[in-house]
CSV table of all heavy atoms in Angstrom, one decimal:
chain,number,residue,atom,x,y,z
A,134,GLN,N,4.4,-5.4,10.5
A,134,GLN,CA,5.4,-5.6,11.5
A,134,GLN,C,5.3,-6.9,12.1
A,134,GLN,O,4.2,-7.5,12.4
A,134,GLN,CB,5.2,-4.6,12.6
A,134,GLN,CG,6.2,-4.5,13.8
A,134,GLN,CD,6.0,-3.4,14.7
A,134,GLN,OE1,5.0,-2.7,14.7
A,134,GLN,NE2,7.1,-3.0,15.4
A,135,THR,N,6.5,-7.6,12.3
A,135,THR,CA,6.6,-8.9,12.9
A,135,THR,C,7.3,-8.8,14.3
A,135,THR,O,8.0,-7.8,14.5
A,135,THR,CB,7.3,-9.9,12.1
A,135,THR,OG1,8.6,-9.3,11.7
A,135,THR,CG2,6.6,-10.2,10.8
A,136,PRO,N,7.0,-9.7,15.2
A,136,PRO,CA,7.7,-9.6,16.5
A,136,PRO,C,9.2,-9.5,16.4
A,136,PRO,O,9.8,-10.2,15.7
A,136,PRO,CB,7.3,-10.9,17.2
A,136,PRO,CG,6.0,-11.3,16.5
A,136,PRO,CD,6.2,-10.8,15.1
A,137,GLY,N,9.7,-8.5,17.1
A,137,GLY,CA,11.2,-8.3,17.1
A,137,GLY,C,11.8,-7.6,15.9
A,137,GLY,O,13.0,-7.3,15.9
A,138,LYS,N,10.8,-7.2,15.1
A,138,LYS,CA,11.3,-6.4,13.9
A,138,LYS,C,10.6,-5.1,13.9
A,138,LYS,O,9.5,-4.9,14.4
A,138,LYS,CB,11.1,-7.1,12.6
A,138,LYS,CG,11.9,-8.4,12.4
A,138,LYS,CD,11.7,-9.0,11.1
A,138,LYS,CE,12.2,-8.2,10.0
A,138,LYS,NZ,12.1,-8.9,8.6
A,139,GLY,N,11.2,-4.1,13.2
A,139,GLY,CA,10.6,-2.8,13.0
A,139,GLY,C,9.4,-2.9,12.0
A,139,GLY,O,9.3,-3.8,11.3
A,140,ARG,N,8.7,-1.8,12.1
A,140,ARG,CA,7.6,-1.7,11.1
A,140,ARG,C,8.1,-1.3,9.7
A,140,ARG,O,8.9,-0.4,9.6
A,140,ARG,CB,6.5,-0.6,11.6
A,140,ARG,CG,5.2,-0.7,11.0
A,140,ARG,CD,4.2,0.2,11.7
A,140,ARG,NE,4.0,-0.3,13.1
A,140,ARG,CZ,3.0,0.3,13.8
A,140,ARG,NH1,2.3,1.3,13.4
A,140,ARG,NH2,2.9,-0.2,15.1
A,141,GLU,N,7.7,-2.1,8.7
A,141,GLU,CA,8.3,-1.8,7.4
A,141,GLU,C,7.2,-1.4,6.4
A,141,GLU,O,6.0,-1.8,6.5
A,141,GLU,CB,9.0,-3.0,6.9
A,141,GLU,CG,8.1,-4.2,6.5
A,141,GLU,CD,8.8,-5.3,5.8
A,141,GLU,OE1,10.0,-5.1,5.3
A,141,GLU,OE2,8.3,-6.4,5.6
A,142,PHE,N,7.6,-0.5,5.5
A,142,PHE,CA,6.7,0.0,4.5
A,142,PHE,C,6.4,-1.2,3.5
A,142,PHE,O,7.2,-2.0,3.1
A,142,PHE,CB,7.4,1.1,3.7
A,142,PHE,CG,6.7,1.5,2.4
A,142,PHE,CD1,5.6,2.4,2.5
A,142,PHE,CD2,7.0,1.0,1.2
A,142,PHE,CE1,4.9,2.9,1.4
A,142,PHE,CE2,6.3,1.4,0.0
A,142,PHE,CZ,5.3,2.3,0.1
A,143,VAL,N,5.1,-1.4,3.1
A,143,VAL,CA,4.7,-2.4,2.2
A,143,VAL,C,4.2,-1.7,0.9
A,143,VAL,O,4.7,-2.1,-0.3
A,143,VAL,CB,3.5,-3.2,2.7
A,143,VAL,CG1,3.0,-4.2,1.7
A,143,VAL,CG2,4.0,-4.0,4.0
A,144,SER,N,3.4,-0.7,0.9
A,144,SER,CA,2.8,-0.2,-0.3
A,144,SER,C,2.2,1.3,0.1
A,144,SER,O,1.9,1.6,1.2
A,144,SER,CB,1.7,-1.1,-0.8
A,144,SER,OG,1.1,-0.6,-2.0
A,145,GLY,N,2.2,2.1,-1.0
A,145,GLY,CA,1.7,3.4,-0.9
A,145,GLY,C,0.8,3.8,-2.1
A,145,GLY,O,1.0,3.3,-3.2
A,146,ILE,N,0.0,4.8,-1.9
A,146,ILE,CA,-0.9,5.2,-3.0
A,146,ILE,C,-1.1,6.8,-2.9
A,146,ILE,O,-1.2,7.3,-1.7
A,146,ILE,CB,-2.2,4.5,-3.0
A,146,ILE,CG1,-3.0,4.7,-4.3
A,146,ILE,CG2,-3.0,4.8,-1.8
A,146,ILE,CD1,-4.2,3.8,-4.5
A,147,THR,N,-1.2,7.5,-4.0
A,147,THR,CA,-1.4,8.9,-4.0
A,147,THR,C,-2.8,9.2,-3.6
A,147,THR,O,-3.7,8.4,-3.5
A,147,THR,CB,-1.1,9.5,-5.3
A,147,THR,OG1,-1.9,8.8,-6.3
A,147,THR,CG2,0.4,9.3,-5.7
A,148,ARG,N,-3.1,10.5,-3.4
A,148,ARG,CA,-4.4,11.0,-3.0
A,148,ARG,C,-5.5,10.5,-4.0
A,148,ARG,O,-6.6,10.2,-3.7
A,148,ARG,CB,-4.4,12.5,-2.8
A,148,ARG,CG,-3.5,13.0,-1.8
A,148,ARG,CD,-3.7,14.5,-1.6
A,148,ARG,NE,-3.9,15.2,-2.8
A,148,ARG,CZ,-4.1,16.5,-2.9
A,148,ARG,NH1,-4.1,17.2,-1.7
A,148,ARG,NH2,-4.4,17.2,-4.0
A,149,SER,N,-5.1,10.7,-5.3
A,149,SER,CA,-6.0,10.4,-6.3
A,149,SER,C,-6.2,8.9,-6.6
A,149,SER,O,-7.2,8.5,-7.2
A,149,SER,CB,-5.6,11.1,-7.6
A,149,SER,OG,-4.4,10.5,-8.1
A,150,GLY,N,-5.1,8.1,-6.2
A,150,GLY,CA,-5.1,6.7,-6.5
A,150,GLY,C,-4.5,6.4,-7.8
A,150,GLY,O,-4.4,5.2,-8.2
A,151,ASP,N,-3.9,7.4,-8.5
A,151,ASP,CA,-3.4,7.2,-9.8
A,151,ASP,C,-2.1,6.5,-9.8
A,151,ASP,O,-1.6,5.9,-10.8
A,151,ASP,CB,-3.3,8.6,-10.6
A,151,ASP,CG,-4.6,9.1,-11.0
A,151,ASP,OD1,-5.7,8.3,-10.9
A,151,ASP,OD2,-4.7,10.2,-11.4
A,152,THR,N,-1.3,6.7,-8.7
A,152,THR,CA,0.1,6.2,-8.7
A,152,THR,C,0.3,5.3,-7.5
A,152,THR,O,-0.2,5.8,-6.3
A,152,THR,CB,1.1,7.3,-8.8
A,152,THR,OG1,0.8,8.1,-9.8
A,152,THR,CG2,2.5,6.8,-8.9
A,153,THR,N,1.0,4.3,-7.6
A,153,THR,CA,1.2,3.3,-6.5
A,153,THR,C,2.7,3.0,-6.3
A,153,THR,O,3.5,3.2,-7.3
A,153,THR,CB,0.4,2.0,-6.7
A,153,THR,OG1,0.7,1.4,-7.9
A,153,THR,CG2,-1.1,2.3,-6.6
A,154,ASP,N,3.0,2.5,-5.2
A,154,ASP,CA,4.4,2.2,-4.8
A,154,ASP,C,4.4,0.9,-4.0
A,154,ASP,O,3.5,0.7,-3.2
A,154,ASP,CB,5.0,3.3,-4.0
A,154,ASP,CG,6.5,3.1,-3.7
A,154,ASP,OD1,7.2,2.4,-4.4
A,154,ASP,OD2,6.9,3.7,-2.6
A,155,TYR,N,5.4,0.0,-4.3
A,155,TYR,CA,5.4,-1.3,-3.6
A,155,TYR,C,6.9,-1.6,-3.2
A,155,TYR,O,7.8,-1.3,-3.9
A,155,TYR,CB,5.0,-2.4,-4.5
A,155,TYR,CG,3.5,-2.3,-4.9
A,155,TYR,CD1,3.2,-1.7,-6.1
A,155,TYR,CD2,2.5,-2.7,-4.1
A,155,TYR,CE1,1.9,-1.5,-6.5
A,155,TYR,CE2,1.1,-2.6,-4.5
A,155,TYR,CZ,0.9,-2.0,-5.7
A,155,TYR,OH,-0.4,-1.8,-6.1
A,156,VAL,N,7.1,-2.2,-2.0
A,156,VAL,CA,8.4,-2.7,-1.7
A,156,VAL,C,8.6,-3.9,-2.6
A,156,VAL,O,7.7,-4.6,-3.1
A,156,VAL,CB,8.4,-3.2,-0.2
A,156,VAL,CG1,7.5,-4.3,0.1
A,156,VAL,CG2,9.8,-3.4,0.3
A,157,ALA,N,9.8,-4.2,-2.9
A,157,ALA,CA,10.2,-5.2,-3.9
A,157,ALA,C,9.7,-6.6,-3.5
A,157,ALA,O,9.3,-7.3,-4.4
A,157,ALA,CB,11.7,-5.3,-4.0
A,158,SER,N,9.6,-6.9,-2.3
A,158,SER,CA,9.2,-8.3,-1.9
A,158,SER,C,7.7,-8.6,-2.2
A,158,SER,O,7.3,-9.7,-2.2
A,158,SER,CB,9.5,-8.5,-0.4
A,158,SER,OG,8.8,-7.6,0.4
A,159,VAL,N,6.9,-7.6,-2.4
A,159,VAL,CA,5.5,-7.8,-2.6
A,159,VAL,C,5.0,-7.4,-4.1
A,159,VAL,O,3.9,-7.6,-4.4
A,159,VAL,CB,4.6,-7.1,-1.6
A,159,VAL,CG1,5.1,-7.4,-0.2
A,159,VAL,CG2,4.5,-5.6,-1.8
A,160,LYS,N,5.9,-6.8,-4.8
A,160,LYS,CA,5.6,-6.3,-6.1
A,160,LYS,C,5.2,-7.5,-7.0
A,160,LYS,O,5.8,-8.5,-7.0
A,160,LYS,CB,6.8,-5.6,-6.7
A,160,LYS,CG,6.4,-4.5,-7.7
A,160,LYS,CD,7.6,-3.6,-8.0
A,160,LYS,CE,7.2,-2.4,-8.9
A,160,LYS,NZ,8.3,-1.5,-9.1
A,161,GLY,N,4.0,-7.3,-7.7
A,161,GLY,CA,3.5,-8.4,-8.5
A,161,GLY,C,2.6,-9.2,-7.8
A,161,GLY,O,1.8,-10.1,-8.5
A,162,ARG,N,2.5,-9.2,-6.5
A,162,ARG,CA,1.6,-10.1,-5.7
A,162,ARG,C,0.6,-9.2,-5.0
A,162,ARG,O,-0.6,-9.7,-4.8
A,162,ARG,CB,2.4,-10.9,-4.6
A,162,ARG,CG,3.5,-11.8,-5.2
A,162,ARG,CD,4.0,-12.7,-4.2
A,162,ARG,NE,4.8,-11.9,-3.1
A,162,ARG,CZ,4.5,-12.0,-1.8
A,162,ARG,NH1,3.5,-12.7,-1.4
A,162,ARG,NH2,5.2,-11.3,-1.0
A,163,PHE,N,0.9,-8.0,-4.5
A,163,PHE,CA,0.0,-7.2,-3.8
A,163,PHE,C,-0.5,-6.0,-4.7
A,163,PHE,O,0.3,-5.5,-5.5
A,163,PHE,CB,0.7,-6.6,-2.6
A,163,PHE,CG,1.0,-7.6,-1.4
A,163,PHE,CD1,0.9,-9.0,-1.7
A,163,PHE,CD2,1.4,-7.1,-0.2
A,163,PHE,CE1,1.1,-9.8,-0.6
A,163,PHE,CE2,1.7,-8.0,0.8
A,163,PHE,CZ,1.5,-9.3,0.6
A,164,THR,N,-1.7,-5.5,-4.5
A,164,THR,CA,-2.2,-4.4,-5.2
A,164,THR,C,-2.9,-3.5,-4.2
A,164,THR,O,-3.8,-3.9,-3.5
A,164,THR,CB,-3.2,-4.8,-6.3
A,164,THR,OG1,-2.6,-5.7,-7.2
A,164,THR,CG2,-3.7,-3.6,-7.0
A,165,ILE,N,-2.5,-2.3,-4.2
A,165,ILE,CA,-3.2,-1.2,-3.3
A,165,ILE,C,-4.1,-0.5,-4.2
A,165,ILE,O,-3.8,-0.2,-5.4
A,165,ILE,CB,-2.1,-0.3,-2.7
A,165,ILE,CG1,-2.7,0.6,-1.6
A,165,ILE,CG2,-1.3,0.5,-3.7
A,165,ILE,CD1,-1.7,1.4,-0.8
A,166,SER,N,-5.2,-0.1,-3.6
A,166,SER,CA,-6.2,0.7,-4.3
A,166,SER,C,-7.0,1.5,-3.3
A,166,SER,O,-6.9,1.3,-2.1
A,166,SER,CB,-7.2,-0.1,-5.1
A,166,SER,OG,-7.9,-1.0,-4.3
A,167,ARG,N,-7.7,2.5,-3.7
A,167,ARG,CA,-8.5,3.3,-2.8
A,167,ARG,C,-9.9,3.7,-3.5
A,167,ARG,O,-9.9,3.8,-4.7
A,167,ARG,CB,-7.8,4.5,-2.3
A,167,ARG,CG,-7.5,5.6,-3.4
A,167,ARG,CD,-6.6,6.6,-2.8
A,167,ARG,NE,-7.1,7.5,-1.8
A,167,ARG,CZ,-6.4,8.2,-0.9
A,167,ARG,NH1,-5.1,8.3,-1.0
A,167,ARG,NH2,-7.1,9.0,0.0
A,168,ASP,N,-10.9,4.0,-2.6
A,168,ASP,CA,-12.1,4.5,-3.1
A,168,ASP,C,-12.5,5.7,-2.3
A,168,ASP,O,-12.8,5.6,-1.1
A,168,ASP,CB,-13.2,3.4,-2.9
A,168,ASP,CG,-14.6,3.8,-3.5
A,168,ASP,OD1,-14.8,5.0,-3.7
A,168,ASP,OD2,-15.4,3.0,-3.8
A,169,ASN,N,-12.2,6.9,-2.8
A,169,ASN,CA,-12.3,8.1,-2.0
A,169,ASN,C,-13.8,8.4,-1.7
A,169,ASN,O,-14.1,9.0,-0.7
A,169,ASN,CB,-11.8,9.3,-2.7
A,169,ASN,CG,-10.2,9.2,-2.7
A,169,ASN,OD1,-9.6,8.5,-1.9
A,169,ASN,ND2,-9.6,10.0,-3.6
A,170,ALA,N,-14.7,7.8,-2.5
A,170,ALA,CA,-16.1,8.0,-2.2
A,170,ALA,C,-16.5,7.2,-0.9
A,170,ALA,O,-17.5,7.6,-0.2
A,170,ALA,CB,-17.0,7.6,-3.4
A,171,LYS,N,-15.8,6.1,-0.7
A,171,LYS,CA,-16.1,5.3,0.5
A,171,LYS,C,-15.1,5.5,1.6
A,171,LYS,O,-15.2,4.8,2.6
A,171,LYS,CB,-16.1,3.8,0.1
A,171,LYS,CG,-17.2,3.4,-0.9
A,171,LYS,CD,-17.2,2.0,-1.2
A,171,LYS,CE,-18.3,1.6,-2.1
A,171,LYS,NZ,-18.3,0.1,-2.5
A,172,ASN,N,-14.1,6.4,1.4
A,172,ASN,CA,-13.1,6.7,2.4
A,172,ASN,C,-12.3,5.4,2.8
A,172,ASN,O,-12.2,5.1,4.1
A,172,ASN,CB,-13.8,7.3,3.7
A,172,ASN,CG,-14.1,8.8,3.5
A,172,ASN,OD1,-14.0,9.3,2.4
A,172,ASN,ND2,-14.5,9.4,4.6
A,173,THR,N,-12.0,4.6,1.9
A,173,THR,CA,-11.4,3.3,2.2
A,173,THR,C,-10.2,3.0,1.2
A,173,THR,O,-10.3,3.4,0.1
A,173,THR,CB,-12.5,2.2,2.0
A,173,THR,OG1,-13.6,2.4,2.9
A,173,THR,CG2,-11.9,0.8,2.4
A,174,VAL,N,-9.2,2.5,1.8
A,174,VAL,CA,-8.1,2.0,1.1
A,174,VAL,C,-7.9,0.5,1.2
A,174,VAL,O,-8.3,0.0,2.3
A,174,VAL,CB,-6.8,2.8,1.5
A,174,VAL,CG1,-6.4,2.4,2.9
A,174,VAL,CG2,-5.6,2.4,0.5
């Protein structure tokens, strides 16, 4: 979220971490991941 703008989706990941999703503007530059053993995304 930036000042004066709404909060926008950037990236998402499934419970298992097997599948990811990105907004077009960050695809190829951002990578989402998770470590369920560490409770961290």
